[in-house]
Amino acid sequence: MSAISPKMAASINDQIKAELESSYLYLAMSTYLEDQNLKGMAHWLRTQAKEELGHVEKLMHYLSERGVRVLLDALAKPKAEFDGPLGVFRAVLAHERAVTERLSKMMDLAIEEKDHMTAATLRWFIEEQIEEESSPEDIVKKLEFVGTSNTSVYLLDKELAQR
């Protein structure tokens, strides 16, 4: 049944690992911010971690529907220390930009292989990356604007708790 190439299947399995590592990283960031008593920002990142797990499930389901076995690999230990909330959200933004690049390369492979079903699936992920980059970029801009003002960081923390 599978018309998906071994190279494409390996790429998707690798992306599953990357999405799991994203979730793991965001959980590590969340615990760091929780320790800084920034519970709203920690909540934002836990929510983001759950969203990444949703991406994992979507990719796993896709491979299963295509008759390809999902192969899970070991995850890298995430970084545990960051340079305050601004450092965390700059790292989130950089990470999401790297994910966008990974997905773009996967799309290039799908197009090269004329794998239209995979391309259609990847299109959803690529469109999702608009929000995945936009949200942390907005937070970075706000944190850069408020600087080290405790009151402003506190208000932003409250805002992010609403996610």
Side-chain angles (χ1 to χ4, degrees), residues 18 42 55 69 97 148:
H55 298 167
R69 183 171 176 211
R97 286 178 174 159
T148 57

Short mmCIF file of all heavy atoms in Angstrom, two decimals, residues 18 42 55 69 97 148:
data_model
loop_
_atom_site.label_atom_id
_atom_site.label_comp_id
_atom_site.label_asym_id
_atom_site.label_seq_id
_atom_site.Cartn_x
_atom_site.Cartn_y
_atom_site.Cartn_z
N ALA A 18 11.86 15.08 16.37
CA ALA A 18 12.08 16.52 16.56
C ALA A 18 10.90 17.17 17.29
O ALA A 18 11.09 18.03 18.15
CB ALA A 18 12.32 17.20 15.21
N ALA A 42 5.21 29.91 32.32
CA ALA A 42 5.37 28.46 32.42
C ALA A 42 4.16 27.76 31.83
O ALA A 42 4.29 26.77 31.09
CB ALA A 42 5.59 28.06 33.88
N HIS A 55 1.24 17.47 17.30
CA HIS A 55 1.93 17.33 16.01
C HIS A 55 2.49 15.92 15.86
O HIS A 55 2.44 15.33 14.78
CB HIS A 55 3.05 18.35 15.90
CG HIS A 55 2.59 19.77 15.93
ND1 HIS A 55 3.46 20.82 16.11
CD2 HIS A 55 1.37 20.33 15.82
CE1 HIS A 55 2.80 21.96 16.10
NE2 HIS A 55 1.52 21.68 15.93
N ARG A 69 5.69 1.96 9.33
CA ARG A 69 5.88 1.81 10.77
C ARG A 69 6.55 3.05 11.35
O ARG A 69 7.52 3.56 10.80
CB ARG A 69 6.74 0.58 11.05
CG ARG A 69 6.91 0.34 12.53
CD ARG A 69 7.56 -0.98 12.80
NE ARG A 69 7.78 -1.10 14.23
CZ ARG A 69 8.78 -1.77 14.75
NH1 ARG A 69 9.64 -2.40 13.97
NH2 ARG A 69 8.93 -1.83 16.05
N ARG A 97 12.01 28.69 14.33
CA ARG A 97 12.55 29.00 13.01
C ARG A 97 13.33 27.80 12.45
O ARG A 97 13.27 27.53 11.25
CB ARG A 97 13.44 30.24 13.08
CG ARG A 97 12.60 31.51 13.23
CD ARG A 97 13.45 32.75 13.36
NE ARG A 97 12.58 33.94 13.36
CZ ARG A 97 12.95 35.10 13.84
NH1 ARG A 97 14.17 35.28 14.34
NH2 ARG A 97 12.12 36.13 13.81
N THR A 148 13.57 45.12 32.12
CA THR A 148 13.59 44.40 33.40
C THR A 148 12.57 44.94 34.40
O THR A 148 12.66 44.65 35.59
CB THR A 148 15.00 44.46 34.01
OG1 THR A 148 15.36 45.83 34.17
CG2 THR A 148 16.02 43.74 33.15
#
